[in-house]
Every structure is written in C-alpha cells, then in structure tokens.
Amino acid sequence: MIQKSSFFSSFETYEDCLNCHSSDWLFFDIETTGFSPGSSFLYLIGVLRKTSEGWKLTQWLGESPQEETAILKEFLDTACHYSCLVHFNGTTFDLPYLKEKAEKAGLSHTLDDMKSLDLYRIFRPLKKLLCLEQMNQTSLESFLGIKRRDKMNGKTLIPVCRDFMASGDPRLESLLLLHNREDVEGMTALLSLSAYLKFTDPERDRSFLKLSSAVRKGETAELSFSYSPALPQSLSVNLQQYGSLELGFRKGVLRAPVFSGELRYFFPDYKNYSYLTLEDQAVHKSIAAYVDKEYRRPATAATCYTRKKGEFLLQPDVLFAPDYRKEYGSKEHYFELTEKRFQTAGSLQLYLVRVLKAALPQ
C-alpha cells in the first residue's frame, strides 16, 4: 500500500453558514472499481483534516485488490478521531459502500455516530439560482472558475487502476492520486457556495443584508444593499414580476418596476358601506345616508373600495397598509411608493427581504 501526505494552504471554512467547527471535519473521497461493494473493490481513499501543522491531505492507494482491507482500516482508524465527515454525495454512495465493506471485513467503525456534511445535498437548492443544468462536483467547480489538471472520471480511472496494479507504473499512480486529490481539494473550494445559501432563506437571518440606499430611476425603484459573507461569483437573476436582481461580490441591487396609475383599496367590512354609482367608490353608510337613494346601493365585497392614483410597488404579501389591488380577488398586492417610504429604510429592507424570499428560485 502506498501512503502519500501533503499540506494544503488554509481556506475559508464558512463555519457560521454550515453550523459546524472545522476542527471536527474530515473531508474524504473514495475511488472504487464499480458501484456494487459485492462486485468491485476499493483501491484509494483520500482524507483531509486539520492538524497542528495545518490542513493535511493523506491518500492510501492499493497496489493490489488484496490491500483493500488495509486501506479501509487506515481510513477508519483516522475517522474515529473526528466527529464530522465532509463529502460530496457520499450519503448515496461512499458511506454505504464503506460500511458494507467494513462489515464484510469485520472492522468496527464510528461512521454511524458521525455528523455528515454532504455538500451535494447542502448546495442542491442553489441549482436554479446559479442557473446550472447539473449539480455534480465538476459543474460547481466550473461555476467557481476552477480548472482541473485532472481530466479523468471514476469510470475512466478503472482501467488505469488495473494497469497500475499490474505494472506499478508511477505515471499511472500519479493519475490516480491526482484525480482523488483534486476531488478532495475541490470540496474545500465548494464551501464558498455557502455564501449563497442565505439568499434562499433571507428571513432566517436578516442581519446578513443591509439596505444602503433606495432611489427612483425612471420606471424602476432601485434598492441597493450590502451583505456578508462575500459571494465568490456575481449573478444576474430575473425575478419576473418583481424586476431583476444583480448580486456582486459584496453588494447587490434590486430593480423593482414601479406601477403608475390607479389602484383600489377594498374595505374589509363591506356590509357597513354603500357603493356610490356616480363616484365609483364606496363610503361608510353614515356618509352615504346623505346621498340620493338613486345613486347608492349596498356595497358588496367586490364594490367596497376607494380609488387611488399614484405610484406603487408590487409586494409579495400584505406587508404595508393600505393594501392596493387592481381588482377584487386579484392576487397581486401593492403598496403606495411615497417619498416618506423612500426615507424609511426599515420598511424597505423588510420589503427587500420578502421579495428575495418570494422571487428567488428555491
């Protein structure tokens, strides 16, 4: 069995986003000759963990199929000193594979007792936001601008593994180790995607986002804001009826379309109102009593409104009163955009958070 060790430079761990201390982490990735533990063998495991000397990568590579148990034992002896496994889609493949192999080899393990950070499952909700067709590791690395030296995949490495075990060729050894190393190294880079997670549920922690300015520009209202942590890549997102969103390194802009025209406010207690046919609006019965009966009638839920001309913003739910609509039963709710509203940062920050929650792809 070949054992290789090297050290990584430090990297941002995003512990606050992932709710886990990096000192407890054990990154790992396995290489096998197939998906079924019964008809394939394990030939390589790479792990990365924090030591007093820094982040240390260790790889165990078998020189024959018979060294599978030795590789597995080295991994399990290392894993028992950590409380959290970090992997990419290991929930589906790596962990079940290792557990079955350990059981067949009669090796005890702590894998069932360890917390699991599956980066695939954690970042899968970002698929639409990042506009990606696939959420495999290489696609995510490509989004982040990471270029691999390794051009292989698990399937194409199988004959390389067999040829290496037959020949001991150091060039083939290097290919196997490089692929595994870049899989592990890539996971550390993927941690930066954690910065996008807060945008998928902005109400959980509103403090990450700070409104810096709100101005009217043409037919849009521009809400500029900052956030932390910084994003690794900028994004442009179409929010449909809510406008557009630009997310930069640490700053973003929501450009919301302003509706100019007339809307209606519907009184909730229509039984206490009368509809005035000439004025096309409802007034309280105490006032309607002074209007000729010919020009008034009992209001219904659909006619119990007052009309308002002005400029409005679409709101995802009834955040601000009065709540204006185009018609009774309309699902679109608006609030009036006034100069005072522009000067009230707190309410517009709430509006910004609610729009992000309602409009960003989940």
Side-chain angles (χ1 to χ4, degrees):
M1 179 179 65
I2 297 171
Q3 178 175 318
K4 297 280 187 178
S5 294
S6 58
F7 285 92
F8 271 27
S9 56
S10 60
F11 51 88
E12 179 63 49
T13 57
Y14 295 86
E15 295 179 8
D16 291 342
C17 298
L18 298 171
N19 298 315
C20 192
H21 295 296
S22 59
S23 58
D24 299 326
W25 293 355
L26 182 70
F27 290 86
F28 82 96
D29 184 63
I30 70 174
E31 309 298 339
T32 70
T33 58
F35 293 112
S36 171
S39 59
S40 66
F41 63 88
L42 170 74
Y43 67 86
L44 174 59
I45 298 182
V47 299
L48 178 68
R49 74 273 199 198
K50 205 171 192 178
T51 70
S52 59
E53 301 172 272
W55 285 96
K56 185 177 182 179
L57 172 72
T58 302
Q59 294 172 286
W60 299 285
L61 173 63
E63 296 179 271
S64 71
Q66 289 70 38
E67 292 188 331
E68 175 186 67
T69 301
I71 294 171
L72 184 56
K73 187 175 187 307
E74 290 287 350
F75 168 72
L76 296 177
D77 287 347
T78 301
C80 69
H81 297 291
Y82 296 86
S83 61
C84 182
L85 292 169
V86 185
H87 48 88
F88 192 89
N89 206 22
T91 305
T92 301
F93 173 64
D94 301 57
L95 287 172
Y97 190 101
L98 292 173
K99 291 175 185 178
E100 186 168 333
K101 286 290 187 179
E103 182 179 348
K104 288 183 177 180
L107 298 175
S108 60
H109 62 83
T110 59
L111 301 181
D112 290 326
D113 302 322
M114 300 175 72
K115 183 177 179 179
S116 181
L117 286 183
D118 189 332
L119 301 184
Y120 169 71
R121 294 194 174 194
I122 291 172
F123 299 135
R124 185 169 53 185
L126 298 175
K127 182 177 182 179
K128 292 183 179 179
L129 175 62
L130 304 183
C131 300
L132 294 176
E133 293 184 5
Q134 295 182 315
M135 290 296 285
N136 55 41
Q137 185 168 342
T138 53
S139 296
L140 292 174
E141 289 176 3
S142 179
F143 170 80
L144 293 172
I146 298 170
K147 294 183 179 180
R148 285 189 169 218
R149 290 180 294 156
D150 164 57
K151 305 301 179 186
M152 310 290 282
N153 58 46
K155 184 176 181 180
T156 58
L157 280 174
I158 295 174
V160 176
C161 169
R162 296 189 186 280
D163 290 345
F164 163 71
M165 290 184 172
S167 67
D169 189 332
R171 293 173 300 176
L172 301 180
E173 174 189 326
S174 295
L175 287 176
L176 297 172
L177 292 172
L178 175 64
H179 175 81
N180 179 259
R181 177 188 175 90
E182 292 200 339
D183 272 351
V184 176
E185 186 175 3
M187 282 189 271
T188 68
L190 295 189
L191 295 176
S192 65
L193 295 172
S194 302
Y196 296 104
L197 293 175
K198 290 191 175 185
F199 285 94
T200 65
D201 190 8
E203 287 200 301
R204 178 176 294 180
D205 178 17
R206 296 180 187 175
S207 63
F208 91 99
L209 187 150
K210 303 286 185 185
L211 184 71
S212 53
S213 68
V215 297
R216 172 70 184 273
K217 287 192 176 181
E219 296 180 351
T220 63
E222 289 195 1
L223 276 63
S224 299
F225 54 96
S226 59
Y227 39 81
S228 180
L231 302 181
Q233 295 289 338
S234 59
L235 288 177
S236 296
V237 187
N238 182 357
L239 300 183
Q240 304 300 328
Q241 70 267 36
Y242 294 105
S244 64
L245 182 69
E246 299 288 335
L247 296 177
F249 184 57
R250 290 187 179 275
K251 296 180 179 180
V253 179
L254 170 67
R255 295 182 175 88
V258 176
F259 175 81
S260 298
E262 184 177 277
L263 293 176
R264 299 173 179 179
Y265 169 72
F266 290 85
F267 299 103
D269 51 341
Y270 68 90
K271 293 182 179 180
N272 292 319
Y273 285 79
S274 296
Y275 175 69
L276 306 184
T277 56
L278 293 180
E279 285 80 3
D280 185 25
Q281 66 176 15
V283 296
H284 196 271
K285 286 181 177 180
S286 60
I287 299 175
Y290 298 99
V291 178
D292 194 304
K293 292 183 179 180
E294 182 181 354
Y295 303 111
R296 60 181 166 90
R297 61 174 183 262
T300 64
T303 61
C304 192
Y305 57 78
T306 183
R307 295 177 293 125
K308 177 74 174 183
K309 288 184 178 180
E311 295 181 333
F312 307 85
L313 280 183
L314 181 67
Q315 54 182 338
D317 48 34
V318 185
L319 294 176
F320 310 118
D323 167 44
Y324 294 98
R325 287 174 281 170
K326 293 180 180 180
E327 300 289 343
Y328 180 74
S330 173
K331 295 181 180 180
E332 294 184 335
H333 300 267
Y334 294 83
F335 67 91
E336 188 177 10
L337 191 60
T338 62
E339 190 64 33
K340 182 179 179 180
R341 185 71 71 186
F342 267 119
Q343 296 171 356
T344 309
S347 61
L348 285 183
Q349 173 144 341
L350 175 60
Y351 170 74
L352 172 63
V353 168
R354 291 292 179 87
V355 167
L356 293 179
K357 180 176 176 62
L360 282 179
Q362 302 293 311

